[in-house]
Amino acid sequence: DRDRIIPLSHAYQALEAIPRGRLEVMPGVGHFPQAEGPVAFVGILQDFLRTTEPATFAPEEQRDRLRRGQEGV
């Protein structure tokens, strides 16, 4: 919650735009959580890997998403 590069409000906006998104806010940590809070960061990462299903869609859908860019959001 101490990132001087990207405001926390941007994280909440991104969360709203990402289906099934997940946001972890590490109190007192800035832009480099892996360096500023490595133990907490690894715990969050491990939990994410353990509990999150990968997205699945056809290669054609991925290509179409990339071509649409922001207009498709």
Side-chain angles (χ1 to χ4, degrees):
D1 69 342
R2 303 228 183 250
D3 193 331
R4 293 182 181 184
I5 299 170
I6 301 173
L8 186 55
S9 62
H10 288 195
Y12 287 107
Q13 290 172 346
L15 179 63
E16 289 179 18
I18 300 170
R20 298 180 316 275
R22 175 176 169 168
L23 174 62
E24 298 283 348
V25 178
M26 297 172 61
V29 174
H31 193 70
F32 301 101
Q34 70 279 13
E36 297 174 47
V39 174
F41 178 81
V42 168
I44 291 167
L45 179 59
Q46 287 174 330
D47 185 63
F48 174 81
L49 294 172
R50 185 175 48 256
T51 62
T52 305
E53 292 292 324
T56 57
F57 43 85
E60 298 82 23
E61 184 179 352
Q62 175 67 17
R63 183 183 60 245
D64 291 344
R65 287 174 183 236
L66 291 170
R67 286 184 177 155
R68 282 195 314 263
Q70 281 289 36
E71 70 187 46
V73 175

